[in-house]
Amino acid sequence: MSSLISSKGGGGGGGGGRGIAAGNTSGGNRHGASDDWNAPPTIKALFAFQVIWAILTAILFLFTVFKLTRVRSKITHRGPYLLLAVVFILFSISFTLSAAPIRVTFHPDVYLRIVFSSVMIGDFSRTFSSAAILWLVHIRGAALPSPQSDMSSPAVIRPWKRYVDCALVLGIFILELAIHGYTLDRNLAYLRTVSAIGRYEEFVKIATRLRHVISTVVVLLAINVIASLAAIKVAHRRTKFTDPVIDRLLVVAGPFVFVGAFIWMFADIWNTEHPTYDPGRTLALSIIGDLSQVVVVAAVLSTIGLHRDSYPIESSSHLNRSSSGPPKAGY
């Protein structure tokens, strides 16, 4: 069973490691949890962290809803935080599904579906959290002082960049859905049909290539997020414009977006070169990868209190100018 799971190509510091760990702790003929769970300490630690992340992200979802009911802003300005609320729910579901097969034994078909669902939902959450950051960048970019000409405006706030970001996020979402659906279908086929085992090695090679594709687009999306934050920050410096939302995203979320993408790529390469299961490596990559994801979404959530909704975004750059200091974003 564990060989089937290792071919699915979760890749990320959290997703791939969690699936493989579950595959190595769900063997045997029993069903359900056991009171005398004698799993290795690393597996127990992995299970504990998944439960902690699931509870934490559920609490952050409730906090997001609470804050949104008390923040006065246009519905378009709430959009990134509504998307963030969806991300917290998806993360909580992903961590819960990840923890379940570590502690409880399921029928092989059910086990495969749970593990693949956990990894797939986790991938969706990571993609949508990046989308929330890009959405904020576009909204905050509209508050910049109007340039003398469209050619002098930073590319990150131009309409075509918004279309590119939307297309990139949508394309990655569809790609992840298709790849995970394919790998799950093939794993189930090989599990049920003895005659299909002869083609298993070929499938492993295909699954490895598909895992590399997901790793590539994850890194591209992370680069896009970091570059967008850096570009709008440079535009702020040129116009002596201060925006605490972008500053916090760049300082807090940006580094962890990079760390998360690096861990994802490192885990993909390492799992390809060393397919043998290593509990210590799995635990380390899972903790770092999951922590990076949680910090990124928490950093985005923390910006909700930095908005000042007294002024409409279109006139904020004029209403907040002051001769005694640089202008500040005013919504």
Side-chain angles (χ1 to χ4, degrees):
M1 175 65 70
S2 61
S3 61
L4 287 172
I5 296 304
S6 63
S7 69
K8 72 185 174 58
R18 294 197 301 264
I20 298 172
N24 284 269
T25 60
S26 59
N29 299 320
R30 62 181 180 81
H31 291 274
S34 174
D35 293 334
D36 54 345
W37 191 30
N38 57 354
T42 52
I43 299 301
K44 291 183 178 180
L46 182 63
F47 172 78
F49 274 104
Q50 299 311 299
V51 173
I52 292 172
W53 298 136
I55 295 174
L56 178 60
T57 50
I59 293 174
L60 290 175
F61 164 75
L62 296 177
F63 183 75
T64 304
V65 175
F66 174 80
K67 293 291 291 185
L68 282 174
T69 59
R70 285 160 174 76
V71 172
R72 296 175 298 169
S73 64
K74 296 180 179 180
I75 186 63
T76 53
H77 300 170
R78 294 189 182 191
Y81 301 103
L82 293 174
L83 179 59
L84 191 65
V86 175
V87 169
F88 282 130
I89 283 294
L90 292 178
F91 267 135
S92 185
I93 294 174
S94 175
F95 290 130
T96 301
L97 291 177
S98 178
I102 298 179
R103 186 67 179 87
V104 182
T105 299
F106 296 94
H107 186 274
D109 278 17
V110 177
Y111 166 77
L112 279 175
R113 295 179 189 277
I114 290 177
V115 171
F116 273 89
S117 296
S118 169
V119 176
M120 182 174 63
I121 294 174
D123 289 352
F124 293 164
S125 305
R126 182 182 293 102
T127 300
F128 292 149
S129 62
S130 297
I133 296 177
L134 293 172
W135 196 345
L136 274 174
V137 168
H138 290 298
I139 291 178
R140 304 302 292 189
L144 280 170
S146 301
Q148 298 297 325
S149 65
D150 291 338
M151 295 301 295
S152 61
S153 62
V156 71
I157 65 172
R158 294 182 185 178
W160 65 263
K161 179 61 164 60
R162 184 182 300 111
Y163 301 143
V164 169
D165 289 340
C166 291
L168 179 62
V169 171
L170 181 60
I172 292 176
F173 171 75
I174 295 175
L175 183 64
E176 290 174 342
L177 183 63
I179 289 178
H180 286 303
Y182 168 78
T183 50
L184 174 59
D185 178 72
R186 291 297 85 198
N187 271 288
L188 290 174
Y190 292 127
L191 184 65
R192 297 169 180 171
T193 308
V194 176
S195 59
I197 297 179
R199 301 190 303 272
Y200 182 72
E201 291 299 327
E202 179 182 355
F203 164 69
V204 170
K205 294 179 181 179
I206 296 176
T208 300
R209 296 191 188 102
L210 294 176
R211 182 172 68 242
H212 294 337
V213 171
I214 292 184
S215 298
T216 301
V217 296
V218 165
V219 172
L220 288 176
L221 184 59
I223 292 174
N224 184 33
V225 169
I226 297 173
S228 297
L229 289 171
I232 197 171
K233 180 60 179 177
V234 170
H236 286 165
R237 289 183 177 179
R238 288 177 179 175
T239 57
K240 297 183 179 180
F241 192 72
T242 302
D243 189 338
V245 174
I246 295 300
D247 290 346
R248 179 164 300 182
L249 290 177
L250 182 61
V251 173
V252 180
F256 284 95
V257 170
F258 172 80
V259 171
F262 175 80
I263 290 297
W264 182 287
M265 181 176 61
F266 174 81
D268 182 19
I269 297 174
W270 185 274
N271 290 335
T272 301
E273 299 296 329
H274 306 83
T276 304
Y277 172 70
D278 183 346
R281 181 193 69 201
T282 299
L283 178 61
L285 293 178
S286 178
I287 292 176
I288 299 174
D290 294 340
L291 177 62
S292 299
Q293 298 170 32
V294 172
V295 170
V296 168
V297 290
V300 177
L301 176 59
S302 69
T303 64
I304 196 172
L306 301 179
H307 294 270
R308 293 186 295 170
D309 302 295
S310 302
Y311 310 115
I313 185 171
E314 293 78 9
S315 60
S316 61
S317 60
H318 303 288
L319 292 174
N320 288 276
R321 291 175 183 262
S322 172
S323 60
S324 59
K328 296 184 179 181
Y331 79 97

